């Protein structure tokens, strides 16, 4: 594989998304148009953090020369790129748009940037914790015609490309995929680092290229319409029990589930 | 719902048995527009094809039985779906790791925006799906000519495994890119029911303190004819394998009885089990959030409670 010959030229592209912080309990807007994101703490999607961390580890192991971050959205999405730069990524590309974005459009944008940059590996989080779509990485691999390693818990570079381990419903699956490739991260791939203060300062000087969808030749289309967003039916807290006898009696005679 | 709809369900199996989620996916397909066809790819799958043909509501089974599909990659199944999916208005798969990888990939090959994890069929183009770890339910309408869908199997009843009489038709293998090679699988062997379709689930969290202590939960599960699950914390700590994980990014379960033992109840865990019919929580922390969704809450040290519960069930 060409990238083994000179790892310094190997580029890893990591798309990152800005989402409501995982520890915040979301509120549905009274007009049922969506979830309230005003004055709510935002953070990098946790699966994207894992993706950034893995890219940095590959670079630190000497197997890549540059880690480039990507994000698409309003101007404040640059803060999320900046978070990844503070973790250690080299530079960012921000596709500026205020339009709501569907996964297929995002995948096309990432594909365009990956082609432009000549990225050898794209590492994405397997899903974002807002839309819970779990689509973008798969779509990207399909669009680019590159092998897909989804839900990975391990990735090792070798002379044939990458040896990956996937977390699947029945256990673990090992695959060998060629390079260049697209992989999506599962939870146990790594534990992301915290940005150090010096690195946060350094990140302020790292470049973020701002582009528009038109600049990269992607049209923002909308195939999905959100008709309404509601809260799920609330589950009421039940009763306290004080012993095994009482619990078994209630399960048998009240809930009738055993 | 409409005469024009034509639904294809992609069956999931392990070459030995049809996975139960396929039956729930057929039910979602029938809700969109009966009858539905089923596509099954594998190797040595004559019995699985027959099982698909016996499912009530299925009209036609397309069988790709070839050596290359013994352990097919997402790309290989997607190529087959695209080659054989031209006539269909809806293509569905269970929202398992199999379906969640496959459907968006196949959708993008056809420039379609897929719809993930639907929990309700409103009409042929409108569906309900959970977002934000199930803390909100979105009703979405898809304008694409073909709807590519993964189905939250716990939200639909299983179609009857018997009573159908579908025709079975062999289809050729589709060309593959050869970019992905199968190496091996390390699967968790268990005699217990499969987690996502079990009637009873006994799950353990960080409170179990070790993998060895899960033996207690296995005994409880066996006594109740159930499966064993776990919180992310228990999997991250290495107590049990990844395939035990219940939650937003793990498996979604909705059994008749869900026993949460030593699980605090993070939002991400609740996302995977809060549609269970009856929830029991055993926890020594009276402030544990799990108590807010449990039908029966037992504020007790699990190392005292679980043996007492086992003894009571033996009576």
């Amino acid at each position: 594989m060409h990238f083994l010959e000179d790892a310094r030229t190997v580029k890893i592209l990591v798309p990152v998304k800005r989402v409501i912080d995982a520890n915040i309990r979301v509120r549905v807007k009274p007009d049922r148009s969506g979830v309230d994101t005003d004055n709510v703490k935002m953070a990098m999607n946790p699966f994207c953090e894992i993706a950034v961390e893995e890219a940095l580890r590959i670079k630190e192991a000497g197997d890549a020369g540059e880690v480039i971050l990507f994000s698409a959205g309003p101007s404040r999405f640059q803060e999320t790129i900046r978070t990844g730069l503070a973790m250690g990524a080299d530079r960012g590309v921000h596709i500026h748009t205020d339009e709501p974005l569907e996964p297929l459009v995002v995948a096309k944008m990432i594909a365009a940037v990956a082609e432009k940059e000549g990225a050898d590996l794209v590492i994405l989080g397997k899903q974002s914790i807002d839309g819970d779509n779990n689509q973008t990485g798969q779509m990207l691999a399909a669009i680019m015609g590159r092998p897909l390693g989804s839900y990975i818990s391990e990735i090792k570079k070798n002379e044939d490309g990458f040896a990956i381990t996937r977390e699947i419903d029945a256990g673990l699956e090992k695959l060998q995929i060629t390079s260049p490739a697209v992989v999506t991260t599962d939870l146990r791939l790594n534990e992301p680092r915290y940005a150090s203060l010096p690195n946060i300062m350094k990140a302020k000087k790292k470049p973020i290229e701002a582009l528009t969808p038109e600049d990269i030749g992607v049209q923002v289309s909308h195939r999905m319409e959100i008709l309404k967003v509601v809260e799920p039916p609330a589950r009421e807290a039940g009763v306290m029990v004080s012993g095994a006898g009482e619990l078994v009696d209630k399960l048998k005679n009240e809930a009738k589930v055993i | 719902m409409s005469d024009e709809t034509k639904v294809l369900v992609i069956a999931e199996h392990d070459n030995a048995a049809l996975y139960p989620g396929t039956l729930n996916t057929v039910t979602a397909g029938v809700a969109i527009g009966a009858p539905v066809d089923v596509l099954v790819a594998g190797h040595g799958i004559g019995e699985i094809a027959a099982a698909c043909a016996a499912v009530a509501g299925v009209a036609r089974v397309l069988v790709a039985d070839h050596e290359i599909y013994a352990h097919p990659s997402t790309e290989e199944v997607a190529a087959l779906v695209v080659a054989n999916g031209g006539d269909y208005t809806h293509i569905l798969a269970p929202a398992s790791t199999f379906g969640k990888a496959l459907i968006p990939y196949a959708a993008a090959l056809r420039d379609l925006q897929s719809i993930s994890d639907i929990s309700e069929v409103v009409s042929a183009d409108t569906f309900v799906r959970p977002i934000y770890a199930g803390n909100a339910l979105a009703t979405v309408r898809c304008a694409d000519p073909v709807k590519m869908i993964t189905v939250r199997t716990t939200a639909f009843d299983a179609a009857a495994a018997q009573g159908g009489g579908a025709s079975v038709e062999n289809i050729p293998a589709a060309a593959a890119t050869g970019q992905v090679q199968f190496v091996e699988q390390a699967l968790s062997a268990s005699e217990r029911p499969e987690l996502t379709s079990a009637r009873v689930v006994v799950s353990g969290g960080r409170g179990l303190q070790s993998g060895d202590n899960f033996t207690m939960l296995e005994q409880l599960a066996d006594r109740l004819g159930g499966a064993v699950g776990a919180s992310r914390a228990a999997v991250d700590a290495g107590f049990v394998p990844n395939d035990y994980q219940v939650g937003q990014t793990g498996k979604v379960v909705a059994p008749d009885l869900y026993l949460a033992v030593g699980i605090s109840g993070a939002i991400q865990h609740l996302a995977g089990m809060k549609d269970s019919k009856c929830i029991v929580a055993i926890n020594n922390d009276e402030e544990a959030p799990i108590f807010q969704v449990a039908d029966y809450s037992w504020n007790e040290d699990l190392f005292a409670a679980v043996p007492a519960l086992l003894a009571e069930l033996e009576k």
Side-chain angles (χ1 to χ4, degrees):
Chain A
M1 292 286 113
H2 64 284
F3 67 89
L4 278 176
E5 288 155 18
D6 187 356
R8 287 167 302 179
T9 65
V10 172
K11 291 181 181 180
I12 305 177
L13 182 66
V14 184
V16 294
K17 187 175 183 186
R18 183 177 165 88
V19 298
I20 293 181
D21 186 284
N23 299 306
I24 303 290
R25 186 169 267 289
V26 299
R27 285 194 321 271
V28 169
K29 288 183 191 171
D31 68 1
R32 296 176 148 197
S33 64
V35 162
D36 199 351
T37 55
D38 293 342
N39 303 313
V40 173
K41 188 184 174 202
M42 305 296 281
M44 186 189 291
N45 178 47
F47 288 97
C48 301
E49 281 188 309
I50 295 170
V52 174
E53 176 65 34
E54 196 63 22
L56 295 175
R57 288 184 190 194
I58 291 170
K59 184 186 168 189
E60 287 161 1
D63 291 330
E66 192 175 32
V67 176
I68 307 162
L69 304 181
F70 164 101
S71 198
S75 47
R76 58 184 180 276
F77 275 53
Q78 288 202 7
E79 292 168 30
T80 305
I81 293 177
R82 205 63 78 183
T83 302
L85 296 177
M87 288 172 73
D90 297 292
R91 60 186 172 91
V93 177
H94 174 230
I95 309 302
H96 186 278
T97 174
D98 291 325
E99 292 278 321
L101 297 175
E102 295 168 7
L104 184 64
V105 173
V106 176
K108 288 175 181 175
M109 289 177 169
I110 299 168
V113 172
E115 295 285 1
K116 179 171 168 274
E117 295 284 354
D120 301 274
L121 178 64
V122 185
I123 310 179
L124 308 86
K126 75 167 179 179
Q127 76 190 69
S128 61
I129 60 166
D130 49 3
D132 282 336
N133 278 305
N134 193 331
Q135 296 179 349
T136 308
Q138 295 89 308
M139 290 176 158
L140 177 67
I143 290 166
M144 298 192 80
R146 291 187 176 186
L148 168 68
S150 52
Y151 321 137
I152 63 166
S153 60
E154 201 177 4
I155 179 167
K156 284 205 178 99
K157 196 169 67 62
N158 57 28
E159 56 188 29
D160 299 320
F162 300 96
I164 58 163
T165 302
R166 304 178 61 219
E167 292 201 358
I168 59 172
D169 286 342
L172 297 172
E173 180 177 73
K174 289 184 192 296
L175 302 177
Q176 172 68 39
I177 60 176
T178 56
S179 176
V182 174
V183 297
T184 77
T185 64
D186 217 312
L187 286 170
R188 280 163 284 275
L189 181 59
N190 61 51
E191 210 162 303
R193 70 194 66 188
Y194 290 100
S196 66
L197 190 58
N199 281 341
I200 291 170
M201 300 311 288
K202 255 193 255 172
K204 292 183 179 176
K205 295 198 185 75
K206 290 179 178 175
I208 297 178
E209 185 182 8
L211 299 169
T212 64
E214 295 74 42
D215 290 339
I216 55 168
V218 175
Q219 197 188 348
V220 179
S221 66
H222 297 104
R223 289 99 177 281
M224 302 289 285
E225 184 186 356
I226 297 175
L227 302 181
K228 66 174 177 182
V229 174
V230 300
E231 283 188 19
R235 208 176 165 110
E236 302 285 320
V239 296
M240 300 296 295
V241 296
S242 56
E246 185 187 355
L247 177 59
V248 170
D249 175 62
K250 286 190 183 301
L251 293 177
K252 277 185 178 156
N253 301 313
E254 200 173 81
K256 296 186 169 66
V257 288
I258 61 171
Chain B
M1 290 186 179
S2 155
D3 291 342
E4 292 92 45
T5 59
K6 209 168 168 213
V7 180
L8 181 67
V9 167
I10 315 303
E12 183 174 11
H13 63 90
D14 61 1
N15 290 319
L18 184 65
Y19 283 6
T22 306
L23 301 180
N24 309 75
T25 306
V26 166
T27 299
V30 170
I32 292 165
V36 304
D37 293 353
V38 172
L39 186 154
V40 55
H43 181 51
I45 50 167
E47 285 179 26
I48 291 166
C52 291
V55 175
V58 176
R60 201 162 67 118
V61 181
L62 307 177
V63 186
D65 193 340
H66 300 276
E67 206 175 335
I68 61 163
Y69 297 132
H71 295 284
S73 65
T74 297
E75 287 90 331
E76 286 165 333
V77 183
L80 203 52
V81 170
V82 170
N84 293 278
D87 292 342
Y88 295 92
T89 57
H90 296 74
I91 299 179
L92 281 61
S96 57
T97 48
F98 165 78
K100 286 191 285 195
L102 171 67
I103 291 293
Y105 190 101
L109 289 178
R110 295 180 61 183
D111 194 35
L112 299 167
Q113 172 56 56
S114 52
I115 311 154
S116 297
D117 209 20
I118 65 162
S119 57
E120 192 186 327
V121 174
V122 178
S123 72
D125 66 359
T126 305
F127 310 91
V128 178
R129 55 178 305 269
I131 57 174
Y132 288 94
N135 288 301
L137 297 175
T139 302
V140 297
R141 179 156 56 205
C142 177
D144 271 337
V146 179
K147 279 55 168 175
M148 302 290 292
I149 295 170
T150 60
V151 174
R152 176 166 286 215
T153 54
T154 55
F156 296 87
D157 292 335
Q162 300 294 331
S167 62
V168 176
E169 195 177 301
N170 287 308
I171 55 173
T177 60
Q179 296 181 128
V180 179
Q181 295 298 323
F182 176 80
V183 179
E184 63 175 342
Q185 283 180 342
L187 306 185
S188 300
S190 171
E191 296 298 310
R192 297 188 189 89
E194 197 265 321
L195 188 55
T196 59
S197 57
R199 207 185 55 78
V200 174
V201 174
V202 181
S203 277
R206 202 196 306 269
L208 267 292
Q209 296 177 10
S210 77
D212 288 344
N213 288 333
F214 265 77
T215 309
M216 283 193 305
L217 302 193
E218 289 165 3
Q219 289 168 352
L220 201 50
D222 290 342
R223 183 68 189 74
L224 296 166
V228 179
S231 69
R232 177 191 170 181
V235 178
D236 283 356
F239 299 170
V240 286
N242 64 286
D243 48 289
Y244 280 48
Q245 187 178 323
V246 171
Q248 180 184 18
T249 64
K251 287 178 181 161
V252 175
V253 302
D256 288 347
L257 173 60
Y258 189 87
L259 263 150
V261 181
I263 291 176
S264 62
I267 296 171
Q268 290 77 12
H269 184 74
L270 300 184
M273 47 65 79
K274 69 187 170 63
D275 292 328
S276 303
K277 190 172 159 204
C278 176
I279 298 173
V280 172
I282 298 173
N283 205 298
N284 62 1
D285 173 12
E286 61 181 341
E287 303 288 322
I290 190 84
F291 287 151
Q292 290 164 22
V293 299
D295 299 282
Y296 302 112
S297 297
W298 189 5
N299 181 205
E300 173 64 278
D301 178 8
L302 69 93
F303 295 102
V306 174
L309 188 53
L310 269 169
E312 186 67 30
L313 289 167
E314 294 300 331
K315 280 185 188 170

